Amino acid sequence: MANPTVKLLIVDDHPLFRQGVRWALSNEPGIQIVGEAANGEEALRWLAQVDAGSEPNVMLVDLNLPGMSGLELTRQIRRQYTSIAVVMLSMHENDEAAFNAMRAGAAAYRSKDIKPAALADILRRVAHGEYVINDVLLEEPRVASRILSQFRNLPEVQMLVGDPSIQVFTPLSEREIEVLERIAAGNSNKEIADALGISTQTVKNHISSILRKLSLNDRTQAVIFALRRGWIETPQQIQPGSGEED
């Protein structure tokens, strides 16, 4: 699947930083900067008035915006503009900020000292539906445990607080969701591979990645986990053998 063009809205209160991002991404193919805003309120006004065809699919948001914070802006974006992925930047990268960014619905979180090529790669990945919070961070057992325990019980949390904005995060990529949907429908690895046009080894790699991200032991648990959170739809019929790993 080809990556879509990144249509980027930059939200940062420093004009020089916004100009620097424009310059840094000017030679990156497939990235188009469609607008800028100095704060969250201005970003929301811009989105409400944007012309058809100029809508962003990615927003680059400063964590420490004046007035409405970057976290609050992200929550509002995820409620009102579900097709827009948010990449959050901060002066300092730390566990707490990354956790809060994930909870708010950010698709990626990085410090502002990120290299232009790395930022361009993240923008393309989130435009394609991936979550790129911090590969190193998610490998830290303490942080990963905290993140997973937070999101494991999201439906129950939602019922308690009545806030639909909480369930906005899934750590799985678009392709991993497709694989899970096929597993839920009872497809074998070979059937999944044939349907998606990939090798059976790639299917197995996706399943291993899913289980690692969710800290689960087998694919049946992963299907149940995803169904309970609404990441995949309930299949018409789950056929026998859906737990096999051929």
Side-chain angles (χ1 to χ4, degrees):
M1 183 184 299
N3 286 333
T5 298
V6 176
K7 295 184 177 181
L8 182 65
L9 172 63
I10 305 170
V11 187
D12 193 285
D13 56 321
H14 294 98
L16 190 60
F17 178 79
R18 299 197 303 269
Q19 182 180 347
V21 171
R22 279 188 175 273
W23 177 82
L25 299 177
S26 60
N27 293 321
E28 290 291 342
I31 297 179
Q32 175 188 357
I33 297 175
V34 296
E36 298 180 10
N39 53 58
E41 293 84 358
E42 185 178 326
L44 292 173
R45 288 195 299 270
W46 188 94
L47 287 168
Q49 301 169 4
V50 66
D51 296 331
S54 297
E55 304 94 338
N57 55 4
V58 181
M59 288 175 60
L60 192 63
V61 176
D62 182 15
L63 174 65
N64 298 306
L65 291 172
M68 178 187 297
S69 71
L71 294 174
E72 177 56 30
L73 174 60
T74 299
R75 283 190 283 267
Q76 292 209 32
I77 292 300
R78 298 304 297 147
R79 284 196 296 264
Q80 299 177 39
Y81 303 95
T82 56
S83 63
I84 300 177
V86 175
V87 175
M88 186 165 289
L89 295 182
S90 174
M91 289 299 295
H92 305 288
E93 192 168 22
N94 61 73
D95 297 353
E96 186 70 24
F99 177 81
N100 290 332
M102 293 174 74
R103 194 173 190 277
Y109 172 87
R110 285 294 188 273
S111 65
K112 285 188 172 183
D113 63 0
I114 187 172
K115 302 295 184 183
L119 177 59
D121 177 65
I122 288 173
L123 295 175
R124 295 187 184 101
R125 289 173 65 183
V126 301
H128 194 259
E130 293 186 45
Y131 281 80
V132 196
I133 298 297
N134 185 319
D135 296 337
V136 175
L137 181 69
L138 288 176
E139 291 173 0
E140 282 289 328
R142 176 180 59 83
V143 181
S145 175
R146 180 185 178 196
I147 290 168
L148 289 168
S149 64
Q150 174 72 27
F151 290 106
R152 249 181 232 285
N153 300 314
L154 276 177
E156 291 80 0
V157 174
Q158 278 186 291
M159 287 188 290
L160 288 172
V161 302
D163 185 355
S165 69
I166 292 179
Q167 188 174 5
V168 292
F169 171 77
T170 170
L172 306 182
S173 69
E174 181 179 346
R175 180 47 62 93
E176 288 167 346
I177 291 293
E178 289 179 321
V179 169
L180 264 185
E181 288 174 338
R182 301 276 177 180
I183 294 173
N187 292 172
S188 67
N189 285 356
K190 184 178 186 306
E191 289 169 333
I192 296 171
D194 291 343
L196 300 181
I198 57 180
S199 69
T200 55
Q201 183 58 53
T202 299
V203 173
K204 292 178 181 178
N205 291 344
H206 284 309
I207 293 171
S208 296
S209 176
I210 291 166
L211 297 180
R212 176 181 58 79
K213 288 179 179 180
L214 302 183
S215 293
L216 297 174
N217 296 322
D218 62 62
R219 52 202 249 161
T220 301
Q221 290 181 359
V223 167
I224 294 170
F225 188 92
L227 286 170
R228 290 183 59 191
R229 279 145 189 82
W231 298 348
I232 61 176
E233 295 183 2
T234 304
Q236 294 287 334
Q237 179 181 8
I238 299 182
Q239 304 169 2
S242 61
E244 297 174 0
E245 299 194 22
D246 50 7

